[in-house]
Amino acid sequence: MKDFFRQSMAWLHTWVGVLLGWVLYFMFITGTAGYLDTEIDRWMMPEASVVDYAVPTERSLAAAIDHLDAHAPTAQRWFISLPLDRNEPFLRVFWSGAEGEGVEESGN
């Protein structure tokens, strides 16, 4: 009885270890792919423009204000979202309370 129990536990330990090993493997692979989604998207679209992260904040802010002055001068509110990092590389402007209310993105 003792040897049979030991063999069954060895079998169970082996297959549970194999199963959990594969689960962890797929977790690491999908986690890596999820973290690098921006780079994978960029790799899949080589025709997209290359983003320059070294644009000074003052220049981005001046471009946003000029764009809003031209497209939504009568808006009640302006919202400017500056480029943050690799996941949000574009300057965004929002406005509300004017004709042509909307959102626009710029690739600098």
Side-chain angles (χ1 to χ4, degrees):
M1 173 81 176
K2 188 176 181 181
D3 289 336
F4 177 74
F5 180 72
R6 187 176 211 163
Q7 285 178 338
S8 64
M9 288 298 112
W11 176 86
L12 180 66
H13 184 268
T14 299
W15 286 106
V16 168
V18 168
L19 179 67
L20 288 177
W22 278 105
V23 168
L24 285 173
Y25 173 75
F26 285 115
M27 284 174 54
F28 291 142
I29 291 297
T30 57
T32 301
Y35 180 75
L36 298 173
D37 65 337
T38 304
E39 288 78 9
I40 292 170
D41 290 346
R42 175 70 183 109
W43 174 73
M44 290 174 55
M45 296 184 300
E47 70 277 1
S49 62
V50 177
V51 178
D52 182 18
Y53 294 107
V55 176
T57 303
E58 294 82 17
R59 187 171 141 207
S60 295
L61 190 57
I65 292 172
D66 291 342
H67 181 81
L68 287 168
D69 276 336
H71 290 91
T74 61
Q76 292 176 353
R77 290 186 185 102
W78 287 351
F79 301 98
I80 300 172
S81 176
L82 295 172
L84 297 175
D85 56 7
R86 66 183 185 88
N87 292 322
E88 301 248 355
F90 300 113
L91 175 69
R92 291 189 197 181
V93 294
F94 308 85
W95 64 88
S96 66
E99 222 170 285
E101 182 172 324
V103 175
E104 293 192 19
E105 287 188 13
S106 170
N108 281 349

